mmCIF file of all heavy atoms in Angstrom:
data_model
loop_
_atom_site.group_PDB
_atom_site.id
_atom_site.type_symbol
_atom_site.label_atom_id
_atom_site.label_comp_id
_atom_site.label_asym_id
_atom_site.label_seq_id
_atom_site.Cartn_x
_atom_site.Cartn_y
_atom_site.Cartn_z
ATOM 1 N N ALA A 170 -11.132 7.149 -10.677
ATOM 2 C CA ALA A 170 -9.817 7.726 -10.960
ATOM 3 C C ALA A 170 -8.767 7.071 -10.071
ATOM 4 O O ALA A 170 -9.077 6.536 -8.997
ATOM 5 C CB ALA A 170 -9.830 9.233 -10.733
ATOM 6 N N PHE A 171 -7.510 7.143 -10.530
ATOM 7 C CA PHE A 171 -6.381 6.622 -9.766
ATOM 8 C C PHE A 171 -5.551 7.773 -9.226
ATOM 9 O O PHE A 171 -5.290 8.747 -9.940
ATOM 10 C CB PHE A 171 -5.512 5.724 -10.646
ATOM 11 C CG PHE A 171 -6.197 4.451 -11.063
ATOM 12 C CD1 PHE A 171 -7.018 4.418 -12.174
ATOM 13 C CD2 PHE A 171 -6.029 3.293 -10.325
ATOM 14 C CE1 PHE A 171 -7.654 3.259 -12.557
ATOM 15 C CE2 PHE A 171 -6.666 2.128 -10.697
ATOM 16 C CZ PHE A 171 -7.487 2.102 -11.811
ATOM 17 N N VAL A 172 -5.124 7.653 -7.976
ATOM 18 C CA VAL A 172 -4.313 8.680 -7.329
ATOM 19 C C VAL A 172 -3.057 8.019 -6.780
ATOM 20 O O VAL A 172 -3.128 7.161 -5.890
ATOM 21 C CB VAL A 172 -5.097 9.371 -6.192
ATOM 22 C CG1 VAL A 172 -4.199 10.353 -5.445
ATOM 23 C CG2 VAL A 172 -6.332 10.086 -6.747
ATOM 24 N N SER A 173 -1.910 8.389 -7.318
ATOM 25 C CA SER A 173 -0.647 7.782 -6.881
ATOM 26 C C SER A 173 -0.257 8.306 -5.499
ATOM 27 O O SER A 173 -0.299 9.514 -5.260
ATOM 28 C CB SER A 173 0.464 8.094 -7.883
ATOM 29 O OG SER A 173 0.204 7.491 -9.121
ATOM 30 N N ILE A 174 0.134 7.395 -4.615
ATOM 31 C CA ILE A 174 0.540 7.802 -3.265
ATOM 32 C C ILE A 174 1.995 7.456 -2.965
ATOM 33 O O ILE A 174 2.593 8.024 -2.053
ATOM 34 C CB ILE A 174 -0.375 7.188 -2.184
ATOM 35 C CG1 ILE A 174 -0.229 5.667 -2.111
ATOM 36 C CG2 ILE A 174 -1.827 7.592 -2.426
ATOM 37 C CD1 ILE A 174 -0.876 5.039 -0.892
ATOM 38 N N THR A 175 2.557 6.501 -3.704
ATOM 39 C CA THR A 175 3.976 6.167 -3.534
ATOM 40 C C THR A 175 4.597 5.955 -4.902
ATOM 41 O O THR A 175 3.906 5.716 -5.887
ATOM 42 C CB THR A 175 4.193 4.880 -2.706
ATOM 43 O OG1 THR A 175 3.728 3.744 -3.449
ATOM 44 C CG2 THR A 175 3.512 4.944 -1.366
ATOM 45 N N ARG A 176 5.914 6.022 -4.943
ATOM 46 C CA ARG A 176 6.668 5.656 -6.140
ATOM 47 C C ARG A 176 7.838 4.787 -5.703
ATOM 48 O O ARG A 176 8.349 4.908 -4.599
ATOM 49 C CB ARG A 176 7.172 6.883 -6.893
ATOM 50 C CG ARG A 176 6.055 7.738 -7.455
ATOM 51 C CD ARG A 176 6.582 8.869 -8.321
ATOM 52 N NE ARG A 176 7.061 8.386 -9.610
ATOM 53 C CZ ARG A 176 6.260 8.167 -10.666
ATOM 54 N NH1 ARG A 176 4.963 8.366 -10.566
ATOM 55 N NH2 ARG A 176 6.754 7.759 -11.808
ATOM 56 N N GLY A 177 8.268 3.888 -6.611
ATOM 57 C CA GLY A 177 9.401 3.027 -6.317
ATOM 58 C C GLY A 177 9.037 1.870 -5.406
ATOM 59 O O GLY A 177 7.899 1.726 -4.965
ATOM 60 N N CYS A 178 10.026 1.038 -5.131
ATOM 61 C CA CYS A 178 9.813 -0.145 -4.278
ATOM 62 C C CYS A 178 11.132 -0.564 -3.656
ATOM 63 O O CYS A 178 12.172 -0.569 -4.324
ATOM 64 C CB CYS A 178 9.232 -1.289 -5.116
ATOM 65 S SG CYS A 178 8.782 -2.749 -4.142
ATOM 66 N N ASP A 179 11.076 -0.913 -2.359
ATOM 67 C CA ASP A 179 12.266 -1.383 -1.649
ATOM 68 C C ASP A 179 12.332 -2.896 -1.558
ATOM 69 O O ASP A 179 13.333 -3.446 -1.088
ATOM 70 C CB ASP A 179 12.294 -0.802 -0.227
ATOM 71 C CG ASP A 179 12.672 0.673 -0.209
ATOM 72 O OD1 ASP A 179 13.064 1.196 -1.269
ATOM 73 O OD2 ASP A 179 12.561 1.300 0.858
ATOM 74 N N ASN A 180 11.272 -3.582 -1.957
ATOM 75 C CA ASN A 180 11.260 -5.050 -1.865
ATOM 76 C C ASN A 180 11.998 -5.638 -3.055
ATOM 77 O O ASN A 180 11.566 -5.501 -4.188
ATOM 78 C CB ASN A 180 9.823 -5.571 -1.840
ATOM 79 C CG ASN A 180 9.101 -5.158 -0.575
ATOM 80 O OD1 ASN A 180 9.709 -5.051 0.488
ATOM 81 N ND2 ASN A 180 7.816 -4.899 -0.690
ATOM 82 N N MET A 181 13.078 -6.295 -2.811
ATOM 83 C CA MET A 181 13.921 -6.818 -3.888
ATOM 84 C C MET A 181 13.523 -8.246 -4.245
ATOM 85 O O MET A 181 14.313 -9.187 -4.124
ATOM 86 C CB MET A 181 15.397 -6.740 -3.472
ATOM 87 C CG MET A 181 15.881 -5.337 -3.162
ATOM 88 S SD MET A 181 15.814 -4.229 -4.585
ATOM 89 C CE MET A 181 17.145 -4.902 -5.562
ATOM 90 N N CYS A 182 12.288 -8.424 -4.698
ATOM 91 C CA CYS A 182 11.865 -9.745 -5.168
ATOM 92 C C CYS A 182 12.738 -10.116 -6.361
ATOM 93 O O CYS A 182 12.957 -9.295 -7.264
ATOM 94 C CB CYS A 182 10.394 -9.724 -5.576
ATOM 95 S SG CYS A 182 9.273 -9.290 -4.228
ATOM 96 N N THR A 183 13.233 -11.338 -6.383
ATOM 97 C CA THR A 183 14.249 -11.693 -7.374
ATOM 98 C C THR A 183 13.720 -11.737 -8.798
ATOM 99 O O THR A 183 14.501 -11.630 -9.754
ATOM 100 C CB THR A 183 14.887 -13.056 -7.033
ATOM 101 O OG1 THR A 183 13.857 -14.062 -6.982
ATOM 102 C CG2 THR A 183 15.598 -13.004 -5.695
ATOM 103 N N PHE A 184 12.401 -11.870 -8.976
ATOM 104 C CA PHE A 184 11.831 -11.933 -10.320
ATOM 105 C C PHE A 184 11.483 -10.563 -10.871
ATOM 106 O O PHE A 184 11.085 -10.434 -12.028
ATOM 107 C CB PHE A 184 10.557 -12.797 -10.322
ATOM 108 C CG PHE A 184 9.506 -12.332 -9.347
ATOM 109 C CD1 PHE A 184 8.664 -11.285 -9.647
ATOM 110 C CD2 PHE A 184 9.375 -12.957 -8.109
ATOM 111 C CE1 PHE A 184 7.712 -10.847 -8.741
ATOM 112 C CE2 PHE A 184 8.420 -12.532 -7.198
ATOM 113 C CZ PHE A 184 7.582 -11.469 -7.522
ATOM 114 N N CYS A 185 11.598 -9.504 -10.070
ATOM 115 C CA CYS A 185 10.993 -8.209 -10.398
ATOM 116 C C CYS A 185 12.032 -7.155 -10.772
ATOM 117 O O CYS A 185 13.044 -6.989 -10.088
ATOM 118 C CB CYS A 185 10.161 -7.717 -9.216
ATOM 119 S SG CYS A 185 9.204 -6.232 -9.582
ATOM 120 N N ILE A 186 11.743 -6.418 -11.844
ATOM 121 C CA ILE A 186 12.632 -5.373 -12.337
ATOM 122 C C ILE A 186 12.294 -4.004 -11.745
ATOM 123 O O ILE A 186 13.074 -3.054 -11.860
ATOM 124 C CB ILE A 186 12.560 -5.319 -13.880
ATOM 125 C CG1 ILE A 186 13.734 -4.522 -14.473
ATOM 126 C CG2 ILE A 186 11.215 -4.757 -14.359
ATOM 127 C CD1 ILE A 186 15.062 -5.197 -14.343
ATOM 128 N N VAL A 187 11.150 -3.880 -11.071
ATOM 129 C CA VAL A 187 10.648 -2.573 -10.641
ATOM 130 C C VAL A 187 11.642 -1.784 -9.780
ATOM 131 O O VAL A 187 11.836 -0.583 -10.009
ATOM 132 C CB VAL A 187 9.281 -2.708 -9.929
ATOM 133 C CG1 VAL A 187 8.895 -1.428 -9.204
ATOM 134 C CG2 VAL A 187 8.202 -3.068 -10.944
ATOM 135 N N PRO A 188 12.293 -2.377 -8.764
ATOM 136 C CA PRO A 188 13.219 -1.570 -7.960
ATOM 137 C C PRO A 188 14.348 -0.940 -8.787
ATOM 138 O O PRO A 188 14.870 0.110 -8.429
ATOM 139 C CB PRO A 188 13.781 -2.581 -6.945
ATOM 140 C CG PRO A 188 12.731 -3.636 -6.855
ATOM 141 C CD PRO A 188 12.180 -3.755 -8.243
ATOM 142 N N PHE A 189 14.706 -1.600 -9.907
ATOM 143 C CA PHE A 189 15.794 -1.088 -10.736
ATOM 144 C C PHE A 189 15.304 -0.052 -11.741
ATOM 145 O O PHE A 189 16.084 0.762 -12.226
ATOM 146 C CB PHE A 189 16.465 -2.252 -11.474
ATOM 147 C CG PHE A 189 16.957 -3.338 -10.550
ATOM 148 C CD1 PHE A 189 16.259 -4.521 -10.416
ATOM 149 C CD2 PHE A 189 18.101 -3.152 -9.795
ATOM 150 C CE1 PHE A 189 16.695 -5.515 -9.560
ATOM 151 C CE2 PHE A 189 18.549 -4.133 -8.927
ATOM 152 C CZ PHE A 189 17.842 -5.320 -8.811
ATOM 153 N N THR A 190 14.014 -0.088 -12.092
ATOM 154 C CA THR A 190 13.489 0.846 -13.082
ATOM 155 C C THR A 190 12.743 2.020 -12.451
ATOM 156 O O THR A 190 12.615 3.072 -13.070
ATOM 157 C CB THR A 190 12.540 0.138 -14.063
ATOM 158 O OG1 THR A 190 11.447 -0.440 -13.335
ATOM 159 C CG2 THR A 190 13.272 -0.948 -14.840
ATOM 160 N N ARG A 191 12.237 1.847 -11.228
ATOM 161 C CA ARG A 191 11.481 2.922 -10.576
ATOM 162 C C ARG A 191 12.146 3.431 -9.294
ATOM 163 O O ARG A 191 11.648 4.358 -8.671
ATOM 164 C CB ARG A 191 10.053 2.454 -10.273
ATOM 165 C CG ARG A 191 9.191 2.406 -11.533
ATOM 166 C CD ARG A 191 7.736 2.134 -11.223
ATOM 167 N NE ARG A 191 6.905 2.263 -12.410
ATOM 168 C CZ ARG A 191 6.297 3.377 -12.805
ATOM 169 N NH1 ARG A 191 6.438 4.476 -12.093
ATOM 170 N NH2 ARG A 191 5.567 3.402 -13.896
ATOM 171 N N GLY A 192 13.238 2.802 -8.881
ATOM 172 C CA GLY A 192 14.014 3.357 -7.788
ATOM 173 C C GLY A 192 13.490 3.023 -6.400
ATOM 174 O O GLY A 192 12.579 2.212 -6.224
ATOM 175 N N ARG A 193 14.074 3.678 -5.405
ATOM 176 C CA ARG A 193 13.745 3.427 -4.018
ATOM 177 C C ARG A 193 12.366 3.981 -3.695
ATOM 178 O O ARG A 193 11.872 4.903 -4.326
ATOM 179 C CB ARG A 193 14.795 4.063 -3.078
ATOM 180 C CG ARG A 193 16.204 3.526 -3.238
ATOM 181 C CD ARG A 193 16.299 2.016 -3.079
ATOM 182 N NE ARG A 193 15.940 1.553 -1.764
ATOM 183 C CZ ARG A 193 16.824 1.203 -0.830
ATOM 184 N NH1 ARG A 193 18.121 1.306 -1.058
ATOM 185 N NH2 ARG A 193 16.419 0.757 0.334
ATOM 186 N N GLU A 194 11.816 3.431 -2.633
ATOM 187 C CA GLU A 194 10.444 3.771 -2.248
ATOM 188 C C GLU A 194 10.386 5.133 -1.548
ATOM 189 O O GLU A 194 11.173 5.419 -0.649
ATOM 190 C CB GLU A 194 9.966 2.686 -1.290
ATOM 191 C CG GLU A 194 8.511 2.686 -1.000
ATOM 192 C CD GLU A 194 8.154 1.429 -0.217
ATOM 193 O OE1 GLU A 194 7.956 0.380 -0.855
ATOM 194 O OE2 GLU A 194 8.116 1.499 1.011
ATOM 195 N N ARG A 195 9.454 5.980 -2.015
ATOM 196 C CA ARG A 195 9.192 7.248 -1.332
ATOM 197 C C ARG A 195 7.705 7.543 -1.407
ATOM 198 O O ARG A 195 7.021 7.142 -2.343
ATOM 199 C CB ARG A 195 10.009 8.389 -1.891
ATOM 200 C CG ARG A 195 9.766 8.756 -3.335
ATOM 201 C CD ARG A 195 10.648 7.968 -4.270
ATOM 202 N NE ARG A 195 10.559 8.461 -5.632
ATOM 203 C CZ ARG A 195 10.869 7.726 -6.686
ATOM 204 N NH1 ARG A 195 11.265 6.473 -6.555
ATOM 205 N NH2 ARG A 195 10.810 8.232 -7.885
ATOM 206 N N SER A 196 7.236 8.247 -0.395
ATOM 207 C CA SER A 196 5.804 8.511 -0.249
ATOM 208 C C SER A 196 5.494 9.967 -0.525
ATOM 209 O O SER A 196 6.334 10.846 -0.335
ATOM 210 C CB SER A 196 5.346 8.141 1.167
ATOM 211 O OG SER A 196 5.544 6.762 1.410
ATOM 212 N N ARG A 197 4.281 10.188 -0.936
ATOM 213 C CA ARG A 197 3.826 11.528 -1.318
ATOM 214 C C ARG A 197 3.187 12.229 -0.124
ATOM 215 O O ARG A 197 2.564 11.600 0.731
ATOM 216 C CB ARG A 197 2.814 11.346 -2.453
ATOM 217 C CG ARG A 197 2.224 12.606 -2.995
ATOM 218 C CD ARG A 197 1.278 12.269 -4.138
ATOM 219 N NE ARG A 197 0.391 13.389 -4.428
ATOM 220 C CZ ARG A 197 -0.621 13.332 -5.258
ATOM 221 N NH1 ARG A 197 -0.898 12.206 -5.887
ATOM 222 N NH2 ARG A 197 -1.384 14.396 -5.451
ATOM 223 N N ASP A 198 3.322 13.533 -0.065
ATOM 224 C CA ASP A 198 2.716 14.352 0.984
ATOM 225 C C ASP A 198 1.221 14.024 1.090
ATOM 226 O O ASP A 198 0.483 14.143 0.107
ATOM 227 C CB ASP A 198 2.908 15.826 0.611
ATOM 228 C CG ASP A 198 2.360 16.788 1.669
ATOM 229 O OD1 ASP A 198 1.417 16.416 2.392
ATOM 230 O OD2 ASP A 198 2.865 17.921 1.748
ATOM 231 N N PRO A 199 0.746 13.608 2.264
ATOM 232 C CA PRO A 199 -0.657 13.203 2.393
ATOM 233 C C PRO A 199 -1.646 14.324 2.076
ATOM 234 O O PRO A 199 -2.748 14.057 1.578
ATOM 235 C CB PRO A 199 -0.769 12.770 3.857
ATOM 236 C CG PRO A 199 0.371 13.439 4.552
ATOM 237 C CD PRO A 199 1.462 13.486 3.544
ATOM 238 N N TYR A 200 -1.241 15.563 2.330
ATOM 239 C CA TYR A 200 -2.183 16.663 2.093
ATOM 240 C C TYR A 200 -2.325 16.960 0.600
ATOM 241 O O TYR A 200 -3.387 17.398 0.140
ATOM 242 C CB TYR A 200 -1.770 17.880 2.913
ATOM 243 C CG TYR A 200 -1.823 17.545 4.383
ATOM 244 C CD1 TYR A 200 -0.664 17.231 5.090
ATOM 245 C CD2 TYR A 200 -3.051 17.448 5.040
ATOM 246 C CE1 TYR A 200 -0.725 16.857 6.433
ATOM 247 C CE2 TYR A 200 -3.116 17.074 6.380
ATOM 248 C CZ TYR A 200 -1.949 16.779 7.069
ATOM 249 O OH TYR A 200 -2.013 16.384 8.381
ATOM 250 N N SER A 201 -1.285 16.673 -0.182
ATOM 251 C CA SER A 201 -1.428 16.796 -1.635
ATOM 252 C C SER A 201 -2.352 15.697 -2.161
ATOM 253 O O SER A 201 -3.100 15.909 -3.118
ATOM 254 C CB SER A 201 -0.058 16.725 -2.321
ATOM 255 O OG SER A 201 0.448 15.399 -2.348
#
Side-chain angles (χ1 to χ4, degrees):
F171 293 85
V172 175
S173 295
I174 67 168
T175 68
R176 295 186 74 84
C178 185
D179 286 352
N180 293 327
M181 300 297 289
C182 299
T183 58
F184 56 80
C185 187
I186 196 70
V187 167
F189 304 103
T190 59
R191 285 188 173 269
R193 298 304 296 258
E194 192 171 277
R195 63 271 189 202
S196 298
R197 180 178 163 188
D198 182 332
Y200 298 100
S201 75

